[in-house]
Amino acid sequence: MSLLEVSDVTVRFGGITALADVTCSVESGEIFAIVGPNGAGKSTLFNLISRFCEPDSGDVRLNGRSLLDRAAADMAALGVARTFQNIDLFETSTVLQNLLIGRHARRQASFASQIVFSPAVRREEIAHREAAERIIDFLDLHAHREQRIAGLPYGTRKVVEVGRALAMEPRLVLLDEPASGLSPEEARDMRFWISDIRTELGITIVMVEHDMGLVSAVSDRVLVLAEGRVVALGTPAEVQSDPGVVQAFLGVGAEPEA
Amino acid sequence: MRVPFKTSHRHDIRLFADRYQALRYAALLTLAIALPFLLDDFMIGEVTGVLIWAIGGMGLMILTGHAGQISLGHAAFLAVGCYANVILMDRFGLPFPVSFTLAGIVAGLAGVLVAVPVFRLHGIYLAIATLALTMLVEDIIVLTEPWTGGVVGLTAPTITIAGMDVDRFSSPDRFYWLCLSITLLVTLAYCNILRAPLGRAFLAIRDSEASAQAMGVHVARTKAAAFGLSCLVTGWAGALLGHYFYTFNHEVFTVVVSIQLLLMIVIGGIGSIHGAFYGAFVVGVIPQAINISRDWVTAVLGTSGVAVPGLETGVFGLILVLFILFEPYGVHGRITKWKTYFELFPFYRRDLFRRQKSYLKTERIR
Ligand SMILES: Nc1ncnc2c1ncn2[C@@H]1O[C@H](COP(=O)(O)OP(=O)(O)OP(=O)(O)O)[C@@H](O)[C@H]1O
Ligand SMILES: [Mg+2]
């Protein structure tokens, strides 16, 4: 059984069909990339999996269980974390606090025990901080630990957002364009982190990415979307040589060079 | 600048950053406890008022400052706490500690009830919905005359704790100490919440509801919790206010009071516990300052009393506008900047506290 199964999903926004009969599945331990031109429906697929939008038809299953009766806020506890294409961090909080909010679904303390800050809460808080510290080590964020997000450069925010998703200790993480807007050096770091997330943390990754270099370097399989439809699905090499893909990227009617 | 050197996670969750800070607060507490020996009864009464407003301010600060939900209806919850406490004491003969606790809980539950229908509203719509609430409660008080005394109002009975009378007029010192201990308890609980997951969830829904959901924060539940806690504390402030005013009726809890609470936390510094105290102080001091300056103007000009109607409201409004224009983080923000200036001297930069332009937020999902 696949970790994540998307079957025959259609999503419409008014007149636009953002996803049309999309079917795909992600295996546990895989790095699964989604590529496609702007407006192809990549982020919509993410929003669907993380329960930020409803499908008009079709089903999404995690470990064989449908997610459609779950709310977005339930997904963290089910082990699904995500980042946002346009970076959506808690601006007024520090990096550490952002990572700690990522631990929210792992909390155990009751309402009353938090108000009196019982010894159990204290132990739990220390454990959360140790977990956040592991992420800080992993992503090399020491220098920014106590800094507010509002003052951080773009590249660092991208990393913090990935860190916040990892702090949730998910089984599956959805990264929406993790390398977009990064400098070449930052993008290279991000490439190593993405493969480390799988090998060291054992987390399955689904990512949307425009940088084909990054995609072919790290991903096992690639799903190509265009105008809400699946154009191709396969290994990076297979997909890149697929005539339909070239057509989708270059526009209808374009012929692949001989 | 003194940078607390952290060697363990325990440092992060301590109430005080370091020994100096703990000592400073211990000194402040000692002074606060000794205050009745230093001030006369009138001044102690004024300070008690500031403490009660600070409790009310903390109540609204949880909701508006930390969870980011505006409320122009908190006078309603002051009223609920105030009336509930006196009715429970008078009609049910409950001792003050019980009636007081229950009064807060009643106000808190009322808050949760209100939160459920209005939690989908944002910004201005939420402000209007909560504003309507104050007006509604005023009417309800008048209509439920058998319980609330209608337009005549109620008189707060004398509090008896452990056989001692605690009364605003006959024993102002004890009443002050009572208010001080409740202020301390609320402040401590507030600090605890802020360093626990609940406080972080409040910050999360304030900054981004979409992200908060992705982190597993249930937005509706968290807002209800914020409303509940906020109204509980505000209800307690209301209960103390009843004893402070001695007699009260519906006119004590008008929309103006709701707005005054909001002004208080904005002037004091939104998003900080300190702000509630600074705000309460400013709001407590301004009417006195106006009175004094009015006497002074009268004396200087020799006219027979300058009576400008609405002067107080005008001055409040002016101060608020000035703060919003020049110091959006209120008195607390200003003080933090001064402190940083001296700690960093001579390396302070004007832009140190300027918020960087924030990057695009997720526009497509709320
Ligand atoms: N909430 C929404 N309401 C209306 N239309 C939407 C909404 N979300 C997405 N769309 C539309 O659905 C289509 C797919 O959008 P989506 O964001 O999934 O594209 P994308 O593949 O992520 O593109 P990009 O590379 O620009 O991020 C677009 O035409 C977009 O305008
Ligand atoms: Mg997108």
Side-chain angles (χ1 to χ4, degrees), chain B residues 311-353:
Chain B
L311 183 64
E312 209 168 286
T313 326
V315 171
F316 269 125
L318 184 68
I319 291 181
L320 183 75
V321 170
L322 290 179
F323 265 107
I324 288 177
L325 284 181
F326 299 111
E327 190 52 87
Y329 292 102
V331 177
H332 181 61
R334 186 87 305 236
I335 291 178
T336 313
K337 282 176 201 170
W338 281 334
K339 250 174 33 196
T340 317
Y341 177 84
F342 285 113
E343 283 176 353
L344 287 182
F345 187 83
F347 298 115
Y348 186 83
R349 288 182 293 123
R350 279 193 67 188
D351 287 344
L352 207 58
F353 283 90

Side-chain angles (χ1 to χ4, degrees), chain A residues 37-44 85-86 176-177 208 210, chain B residues 364:
Chain A
N38 292 116
K42 305 179 295 293
S43 299
T44 304
Q85 183 168 354
N86 297 316
D176 203 343
E177 308 202 3
V208 168
H210 284 294
Chain B
R364 283 177 192 158

Side-chain angles (χ1 to χ4, degrees), chain A residues 7-21:
Chain A
S7 41
D8 290 323
V9 163
T10 300
V11 177
R12 289 191 199 92
F13 296 107
I16 312 166
T17 305
L19 290 176
D21 284 324

Side-chain angles (χ1 to χ4, degrees), chain B residues 37 43 71 90 95 98 103 160 171 175 184 197 201 268 271 327 334 354:
Chain B
F37 304 111
M43 284 309 286
S71 167
D90 267 348
V98 180
T160 318
S171 52
F175 187 62
L184 277 178
E327 190 52 87
R334 186 87 305 236
R354 175 153 303 166

